[in-house]
Amino acid sequence: MDIDRAGLAEFLRRRRESLQPSDVGLPQGVRRRTSGLRREEVAVLCNMSADYYSRLERERGPQPSEQMIASIAQGLHLSLAERDHLFRLAGHNPPAQGGAGEHISPGMLRILDRLDDTPAEIVTELGETLRQSRLGVALTGDLTRYTGPERSLGFRWFTRADTRELYAPEEHEFLTRLFTAGLRELATKRGPGSRAAGFVDLLLERSPEFRATWALHEVGLRPRDTKHFVHPELGELELTCQSLVDAESSQMLLVYTAVPGSESHEKLQLLSVIGTQALRS
């Protein structure tokens, strides 16, 4: 499949010009001489150089990779149909759609962009964190930094001891059963050859605890509404977790709040200060 340079450039320009800074969580600023976003702003959203992005809009440069196109699609808040169209314009087949997809819908991104005052994250069905709010990073650290199977919280639970430090000890036994049961259900749903099934094989090989829990054949466990996090500076926080599910992608937006007037609510306010200081450092 050949790249359609003119079509790609025009599509990128039209999508960029249709977005306002507030649509993507950026400040409006003053004296904007162009409609929509600037190329430099799009480049930041897409984690690429402004020169590289500008060349695409000018019908120049090498054919962008699939990874680069996926990053552009997410940065421009494209819908799945628009993302697939972008892939074809760039000369690539679109990713297969399904529960394991990592493209976040524009609506879900808009909601997360407005949750600056509370911990929140968008996760895949395998527990891979795709995006976090500022306070989400302050609460648990940057969970998007992991690669490979370790991107999954359930996988890290059995392979990295530091993962459990984020949760109160009294929650550990239940979380062990919860992650195991959830992975069993997902591996059965997605079938042999799926990423979930691959995780099962790896954990059966690496973790005696997972093997023992897997042998129980538990299913149907669901997360508790109240989570008990342990922050390295603030100690334990009792937070309520509300979830919003994107049925098309099977992704979830998780939002963590505390009861007003509670000790945990006061700690969340301190967490906001810690998060701001971390960004400035």
Side-chain angles (χ1 to χ4, degrees):
M1 186 182 298
D2 295 328
I3 182 174
D4 179 354
R5 291 192 178 276
L8 176 63
E10 180 67 15
F11 185 68
L12 291 177
R13 281 194 297 269
R14 293 292 185 183
R15 288 300 300 134
R16 173 173 61 82
E17 292 171 355
S18 70
L19 290 172
Q20 295 301 315
S22 58
D23 295 330
V24 294
L26 294 176
Q28 183 65 34
V30 295
R31 296 183 181 179
R32 303 185 68 88
R33 293 179 294 178
T34 59
S35 61
L37 299 178
R38 301 185 181 98
R39 291 191 180 98
E40 294 79 7
E41 291 171 327
V42 172
V44 170
L45 292 170
C46 301
N47 297 311
M48 63 183 61
S49 71
D51 177 67
Y52 183 92
Y53 178 80
S54 295
R55 281 187 289 165
L56 291 178
E57 284 202 6
R58 293 178 177 133
E59 305 179 30
R60 300 174 184 171
Q63 180 184 20
S65 67
E66 294 183 17
Q67 182 179 4
M68 194 67 76
I69 289 299
S71 182
I72 293 173
Q74 196 67 85
L76 287 173
H77 285 39
L78 301 186
S79 67
L80 278 176
E82 290 170 331
R83 179 205 66 173
D84 291 353
H85 181 64
L86 182 66
F87 265 83
R88 295 186 181 99
L89 289 173
H92 299 296
N93 291 318
Q97 296 188 20
E102 297 187 10
H103 182 78
I104 306 171
S105 71
M108 194 81 89
L109 282 174
R110 284 194 294 269
I111 296 172
L112 182 67
D113 288 340
R114 286 158 174 76
L115 294 175
D116 189 58
D117 60 346
T118 191
E121 60 180 330
I122 296 175
V123 301
T124 69
E125 63 181 12
L126 280 167
E128 300 157 314
T129 300
L130 302 178
R131 291 283 183 95
Q132 292 171 280
S133 67
R134 177 178 61 89
L135 283 194
V137 176
L139 176 64
T140 63
D142 181 7
L143 300 181
T144 67
R145 71 184 187 275
Y146 295 102
T147 60
E150 285 192 350
R151 293 179 63 208
S152 166
L153 171 59
F155 190 91
R156 294 197 305 275
W157 185 259
F158 294 100
T159 58
R160 294 182 61 108
D162 57 347
T163 297
R164 304 194 179 198
E165 296 174 0
L166 293 171
Y167 301 88
E170 61 267 23
E171 298 286 315
H172 289 189
E173 187 271 338
F174 173 74
L175 290 174
T176 295
R177 295 168 52 216
L178 175 71
F179 293 139
T180 304
L183 188 54
R184 178 181 292 278
E185 292 181 47
L186 190 57
T188 301
K189 179 179 179 180
R190 298 302 176 196
S194 65
R195 294 177 63 229
F199 284 9
V200 171
D201 292 340
L202 286 173
L203 288 173
L204 286 173
E205 176 184 341
R206 299 183 187 182
S207 172
E209 182 185 26
F210 179 81
R211 287 197 298 272
T213 312
W214 182 260
L216 299 176
H217 285 264
E218 285 189 297
V219 294
L221 274 66
R222 294 295 177 262
R224 293 167 177 166
D225 292 337
T226 301
K227 315 288 185 183
H228 294 87
F229 291 97
V230 179
H231 189 272
E233 297 178 57
L234 301 177
E236 185 169 325
L237 291 90
E238 183 177 295
L239 304 179
T240 299
C241 178
Q242 300 292 332
S243 61
L244 174 65
V245 180
D246 185 330
E248 188 172 20
S249 66
S250 295
Q251 295 168 359
M252 290 183 291
L253 171 63
L254 306 179
V255 182
Y256 304 98
T257 60
V259 176
S262 66
E263 182 180 354
S264 292
H265 187 261
E266 294 178 0
K267 288 182 178 180
L268 274 187
Q269 293 176 315
L270 292 174
L271 189 67
S272 179
V273 175
I274 292 173
T276 301
Q277 292 174 340
L279 286 175
R280 292 173 177 171
S281 63

